[in-house]
């Protein structure tokens, strides 16, 4: 039972690009496919960086509101943000970091349309991704803060709400797989799974706003004025011609940073409305020659930024590195940049995030991520074919680790640069919720709807026993993980950082929990236990 049906002769004779692949030894084919899979994960990380930047710009979007001051009768202009940050963490940040898994699961579901049994890559990847998020990412975040520094969750109430819905998501998955309708998913179960994402958003917003009867009566700790240190903030460009709010910075080497600060949306200096009193004769300002000139300059900046993307894509090393580094280091860097050049050149076609508040870049990034996810599913089929490894094992090990890389990068940036642990840990719990409610809910909704309309049958889960066992192991190990976080809060006063020795001990413990999950789940789905 350790070898699935995918390793039959008919499928093993398939090929990825050229028919000549079938004449190569299975060991060599497996190596080449694994190499291609790793290269896809590198491309996935690259496009996710652009995706994050577009998300940041979307959250920064404001609306202009004009009111009358009752005391002075003067017009007051307010620039208010559209997004509540708790909702943005769940619907944009967590959704964005989980989109590779969601794309892979959705593509796997579409490929299996017409079959009564669900595909195994989607659910296996998402459950494995949950384990990777909870254990290895916590293991990294706990040692990232500088030695002796402590970073704690400032809003325990919101974290508890997110943690509840994260655990409930996997408990709900176990119920519909083993209790309600064993090994069968109905249309109503899939629909209820998706709708619970809306309940998560409402409950988290209610907790953030401290609505009575719907929130936990816990006071929010005093949050520092700057969630992101001043030295890490984006530079303030311009000479007040745009009122300090211009979204398009001038093109220069200083602004060509490759580090994406997706968490600068949490800076409380930006969260409040921007007020500006204006006399009546200034209301026509936007049609003046100066405003037209400013618009032309912004358009030129966008064109320059887009052109710079293509120049950066073909640039193998900077002038500074030529002068500073030795020959061997330069050669290694050039070879590495040369290997990344195809991805960088391809993603340079994504429009700059400064256009349309980042929405165009957001959508284009999703398209590229979906395309890479499709290639990943094809490679996974070939790897399972030539090695005989159960697809579920590949799904919650290699695929889960590779597609969860954006989650790791996001939480690491937060743990490094923010003065609290809210976003670093919230990104983990929210991503796990999104994985189930959206990542599994949407694909199952597609398949159940098709099966009901065409065959008048529900969706059957072929390896429900192995998936349910993985959920049980995840429950036990995750409880051990959360218990240690609570213990660190009681002993050290914070979840992340602290004495270096104990931080590393905690990190090793979290990695041990992940290994336990992977080994036990692999043995179960392979038929050894």
């Amino acid at each position: 039972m350790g070898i699935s049906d995918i390793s039959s002769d008919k499928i093993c004779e398939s090929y990825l690009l050229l028919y000549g692949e079938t004449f190569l030894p299975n060991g060599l084919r497996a190596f080449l496919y694994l190499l291609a899979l790793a290269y896809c994960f590198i491309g996935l990380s690259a496009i996710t960086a652009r995706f994050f930047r577009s998300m940041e710009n979307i959250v920064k979007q404001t609306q202009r509101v004009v009111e009358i001051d009752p005391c002075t009768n003067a017009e007051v202009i307010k620039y208010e943000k559209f997004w509540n940050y708790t909702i943005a963490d769940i619907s944009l940040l967590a959704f964005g970091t989980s989109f590779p898994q969601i794309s892979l699961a959705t593509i796997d579901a579409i490929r299996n349309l017409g079959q009564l049994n669900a595909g195994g890559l989607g659910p296996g990847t998402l459950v494995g991704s949950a384990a990777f998020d909870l254990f290895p990412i916590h293991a990294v975040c706990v040692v990232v803060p500088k030695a002796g520094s402590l970073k704690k969750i400032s809003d325990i109430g919101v974290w508890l709400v997110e943690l509840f819905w994260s655990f409930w998501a996997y408990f709900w998955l176990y119920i519909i797989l083993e209790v309600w309708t064993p090994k069968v998913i109905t249309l109503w179960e899939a629909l209820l799974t998706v709708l619970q994402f809306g309940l998560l958003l409402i409950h988290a917003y209610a907790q953030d706003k401290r609505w009575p009867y719907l929130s936990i009566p816990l006071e929010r700790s005093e949050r520092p004025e700057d969630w992101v240190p001043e030295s890490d903030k984006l530079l303030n460009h311009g000479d007040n011609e745009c009122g300090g709010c211009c979204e398009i910075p001038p093109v220069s080497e200083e602004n060509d940073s490759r580090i994406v600060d997706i968490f600068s949306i949490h800076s409380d200096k930006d969260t409040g409305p921007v007020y500006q009193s204006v006399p009546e004769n200034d209301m026509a300002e936007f049609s003046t020659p100066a405003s037209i000139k400013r618009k032309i300059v912004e358009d030129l900046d966008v064109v320059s930024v887009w052109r710079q993307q293509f120049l950066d894509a073909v640039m193998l090393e900077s002038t500074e590195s030529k002068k500073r580094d030795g020959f061997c280091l330069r050669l290694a860097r050039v070879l590495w940049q040369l290997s990344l050049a195809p991805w960088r050149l391809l993603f340079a076609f994504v429009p700059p995030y400064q256009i349309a508040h980042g929405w165009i870049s957001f959508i284009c990034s999703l398209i590229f991520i979906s395309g890479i996810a499709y290639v990943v599913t094809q490679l996974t089929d070939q790897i399972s074919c030539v090695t005989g490894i159960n697809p579920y094992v590949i799904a919650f090990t290699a695929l889960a680790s590779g597609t969860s890389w954006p989650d790791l990068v996001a939480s690491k940036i937060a743990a490094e640069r923010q003065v609290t642990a809210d976003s670093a840990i919230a990104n983990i719990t929210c991503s796990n919720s999104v994985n189930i409610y959206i990542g599994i809910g949407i694909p199952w909704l597609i398949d159940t709807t098709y099966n009901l309309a065409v065959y008048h049958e529900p969706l059957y889960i072929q390896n429900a026993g192995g998936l349910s066992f993985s959920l049980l192991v995840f429950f036990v190990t995750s409880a051990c993980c959360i218990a240690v976080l609570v213990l660190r809060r009681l002993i050290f006063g914070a979840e992340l950082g602290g004495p270096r020795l104990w931080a590393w001990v905690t990190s090793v413990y979290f990695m041990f929990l992940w290994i336990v999950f992977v080994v036990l789940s692999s043995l179960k789905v392979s038929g050894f236990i």
Side-chain angles (χ1 to χ4, degrees), residues 317 325-338:
E317 60 177 339
D325 300 330
F327 174 78
C328 294
L329 184 59
R330 286 180 55 198
L331 179 62
R333 180 183 293 110
V334 168
L335 292 176
W336 173 249
Q337 295 296 335
L338 194 62

Side-chain angles (χ1 to χ4, degrees), residues 110-190:
I110 294 174
R111 291 193 313 159
N112 281 278
L113 284 177
Q115 301 182 25
L116 294 178
N117 294 322
L121 291 182
T125 301
L126 291 164
V127 174
S129 175
F132 187 90
D133 286 351
L134 195 63
F135 305 128
I137 295 182
H138 269 125
V140 171
C141 290
V142 77
V143 297
V144 160
K146 295 179 180 179
S149 63
L150 295 169
K151 297 189 178 184
K152 67 177 183 179
I153 300 172
S154 64
D155 197 336
I156 289 292
V158 171
W159 178 68
L160 288 176
V161 168
E162 294 167 346
L163 187 65
F164 164 77
W165 284 100
S166 175
F167 272 89
W168 167 251
Y170 293 90
F171 185 65
W172 164 258
L173 191 60
Y174 182 83
I175 289 176
I176 61 178
L177 282 175
E178 293 293 339
V179 180
W180 200 342
T181 54
K183 300 181 181 179
V184 170
I185 301 298
T186 65
L187 176 61
W188 289 109
E189 289 172 338

Side-chain angles (χ1 to χ4, degrees), residues 197-275:
F197 181 69
L199 295 179
L200 164 62
L201 291 174
I202 295 172
H203 194 185
Y205 184 79
Q207 180 65 41
D208 183 70
K209 296 299 183 181
R210 298 303 193 268
W211 288 357
Y213 308 111
L214 292 178
S215 60
I216 304 173
L218 291 175
E219 291 295 328
R220 180 188 289 117
S221 303
E222 184 177 353
R223 188 175 295 168
E225 183 179 5
D226 293 315
W227 280 35
V228 178
E230 190 69 30
S231 60
D232 290 332
K233 282 177 171 289
L234 295 177
L235 297 176
N236 185 19
H237 305 287
D239 53 358
N240 292 329
E241 188 179 13
C242 300
C245 302
C246 185
E247 289 184 344
I248 302 176
V251 179
S252 67
E253 291 185 2
E254 294 179 357
N255 297 321
D256 187 26
S257 175
R258 302 188 188 279
I259 299 178
V260 179
D261 178 20
I262 60 174
F263 295 93
S264 62
I265 61 175
H266 291 295
S267 174
D268 277 345
K269 276 191 174 180
D270 296 340
T271 57
V274 180
Y275 299 97

